[in-house]
Amino acid sequence: MAQVKRENRQKEEIEYQKIRAAAEGGDATAQKSLGAMYYYGEGVEEDYKQAVEWFRKAAEQGNASAQYNLGAMYYFYYGKGVEKDNKQAAEWFRKAAAQGEAAAQYSLGLMYEKGEGMEKDYKQAVEWYRKAAEGYLKAADEGKVEAQLVLGGLYFGGKGVEQDYKQAAQWYRKAAEQGNAKAQELLGGMYQAGMGVELDYKQAVEWYRKAAEKSAQMQESLGCLYYFGLIVEQDYIQAAEWFRKAAEQGEAGAQYSLGLMYYKGEGMEKDVKQAAEWYSKAAEQGKAKAQVNLGMMYESGQGVIEDYIEAYKWYLLVEKGGEEVQKLKDELRKKMTEGQIAEGERRAKEFVEKREKKKGVEERH
């Protein structure tokens, strides 16, 4: 395995050197490709600023794909090499759209619909969605999975085309059959709702399961279906399995749900220590319910050593906790010294500062 990885890395590095040489020689296609290599870290260390620089060089030479990519950096992926700038995004999308770039046409439609970087104009939005639909239809007919997915969405929302759930389902199916997880999830949803297809919960679950092979979010959703017995027979063991798969990939909601199941002993042996561990992982990511439950465990000493300061810290960190959390804080303060309260406030402040710093680093990269 290590040998294969080394060989793949060497191939990527050789490809990078080849494309770099062509890009420096002024080849616009190579410049666009080099930008993508910097963006994804293929054959070279990931560098969003370099990605933007090479996309810009290609875009200024009229490369439509690079023009779209540059617009997308300003509009969708801001914080990665550039700050958000709707006007710059619209300018580059418009240049690419004029050359028939369907993704740029769709993005312009979106911006007109939302009134971002320009006056809100539904007529213009529909016109650009229509042009995008034509472009996506051609690409979708050629079997391009992303085009099939987007075209399905256009038919579903009636954007640039007459709303048609059957057409939406057909295009979602084409993309789903090629293994696209999002399309599999959306097709499952259409079977669950009976939109564009006959209502069929069995088919819905089948497509959800296929999507869950690649999507942690879908794993969490399947866990919820089994936990609450929605469109499937209630099954705590299945729910726990799906929550665990998603939780181990960092899904905060699944981490909270798995902690709750450990706490209640649903589908597994009751284990308050495991509950506290999973609540902690979710709480660190800002899951409010997990923060409340973890605070209560620290206050009562369940699964963790009793610690009023930590309990108070987690209560303080709950955003929009309402009267329930306010009551928990008020009652806990009655059992704490002024020094403990001050320390809890300090820890909460420190947690927020670290989270914001980490967020800033992630956005820059």
Side-chain angles (χ1 to χ4, degrees):
M1 183 66 75
Q3 177 67 23
V4 171
K5 283 184 177 179
R6 266 197 307 274
E7 288 175 359
N8 288 339
R9 191 163 56 246
Q10 286 172 351
K11 286 178 182 177
E12 285 183 354
E13 288 172 357
I14 291 168
E15 183 67 12
Y16 164 76
Q17 293 297 340
K18 179 182 173 184
I19 290 174
R20 174 99 197 188
E24 289 177 343
D27 185 289
T29 302
Q31 290 170 342
K32 186 265 294 184
S33 298
L34 187 58
M37 295 183 85
Y38 273 112
Y39 186 87
Y40 293 110
E42 296 175 349
V44 66
E45 190 174 338
E46 189 179 90
D47 188 327
Y48 295 133
K49 286 187 177 180
Q50 281 285 311
V52 170
E53 184 178 321
W54 286 106
F55 285 151
R56 191 181 304 281
K57 286 178 186 293
E60 287 173 349
Q61 290 199 69
N63 184 284
S65 179
Q67 289 170 341
Y68 166 73
N69 288 349
L70 188 55
M73 296 294 282
Y74 280 114
Y75 187 61
F76 296 113
Y77 311 120
Y78 56 89
K80 295 180 175 181
V82 292
E83 296 299 316
K84 185 175 178 67
D85 189 327
N86 289 338
K87 288 187 177 179
Q88 279 284 313
E91 182 181 324
W92 288 110
F93 285 152
R94 200 176 297 281
K95 289 177 186 292
Q99 297 191 66
E101 187 74 19
Q105 293 167 339
Y106 176 84
S107 300
L108 268 181
L110 190 64
M111 294 186 83
Y112 270 115
E113 183 180 1
K114 293 183 174 182
E116 294 178 330
M118 58 191 69
E119 286 286 317
K120 189 178 284 189
D121 187 329
Y122 291 122
K123 188 176 179 181
Q124 280 287 316
V126 169
E127 181 63 19
W128 283 111
Y129 281 140
R130 185 188 62 75
K131 289 180 179 180
E134 290 172 359
Y136 281 125
L137 179 60
K138 183 175 183 296
D141 280 335
E142 292 171 358
K144 293 180 180 176
V145 67
E146 287 298 328
Q148 293 169 341
L149 175 63
V150 176
L151 189 59
L154 291 173
Y155 274 113
F156 186 88
K159 294 182 175 182
V161 292
E162 189 175 339
Q163 190 173 53
D164 188 330
Y165 293 140
K166 284 187 178 180
Q167 281 283 338
Q170 286 175 18
W171 287 111
Y172 285 153
R173 186 184 306 280
K174 289 179 184 291
E177 288 172 349
Q178 290 197 66
N180 184 281
K182 188 63 182 177
Q184 291 167 340
E185 177 188 342
L186 292 169
L187 184 58
M190 297 195 80
Y191 272 111
Q192 183 178 343
M195 298 174 74
V197 292
E198 281 193 30
L199 185 76
D200 190 329
Y201 291 154
K202 188 176 178 182
Q203 277 285 308
V205 173
E206 186 176 319
W207 284 110
Y208 287 154
R209 281 180 169 270
K210 289 179 185 292
E213 291 173 9
K214 298 176 182 176
S215 167
Q217 288 182 338
M218 198 62 240
Q219 290 166 356
E220 181 184 348
S221 296
L222 269 175
C224 289
L225 292 180
Y226 280 107
Y227 185 83
F228 293 107
L230 302 172
I231 75 168
V232 292
E233 189 175 339
Q234 190 174 48
D235 187 332
Y236 287 145
I237 293 175
Q238 280 278 328
E241 285 181 10
W242 286 110
F243 283 144
R244 190 180 303 280
K245 287 176 186 289
E248 287 174 349
Q249 293 180 71
E251 287 294 318
Q255 292 168 341
Y256 162 74
S257 297
L258 189 58
L260 187 65
M261 294 189 78
Y262 268 116
Y263 187 81
K264 292 182 174 180
E266 295 173 328
M268 59 188 73
E269 288 281 323
K270 182 181 175 74
D271 188 331
V272 291
K273 284 187 177 180
Q274 279 288 314
E277 282 186 27
W278 286 108
Y279 282 155
S280 181
K281 290 178 187 294
E284 291 281 344
Q285 294 195 69
K287 184 72 175 176
K289 288 181 179 179
Q291 291 172 336
V292 172
N293 288 7
L294 185 60
M296 292 171 73
M297 295 187 83
Y298 271 113
E299 184 176 355
S300 61
Q302 290 187 82
V304 291
I305 297 170
E306 184 182 280
D307 188 333
Y308 289 167
I309 295 172
E310 274 296 292
Y312 190 56
K313 178 191 87 172
W314 287 114
Y315 292 155
L316 286 172
L317 287 166
V318 179
E319 295 179 3
K320 300 178 182 177
E323 292 181 10
E324 179 193 352
V325 177
Q326 188 59 51
K327 187 177 178 182
L328 287 170
K329 287 188 285 189
D330 292 343
E331 290 299 317
L332 180 55
R333 273 197 296 265
K334 293 175 184 177
K335 300 186 282 187
M336 298 173 72
T337 66
E338 287 185 9
Q340 287 176 320
I341 292 171
E343 176 60 15
E345 291 172 346
R346 187 197 67 77
R347 290 185 190 181
K349 183 181 178 183
E350 182 181 56
F351 179 91
V352 171
E353 288 173 351
K354 284 182 178 178
R355 182 179 62 192
E356 291 303 310
K357 185 177 180 181
K358 182 181 178 183
K359 184 180 176 183
V361 170
E362 288 174 347
E363 286 180 348
R364 286 194 295 274
H365 290 280

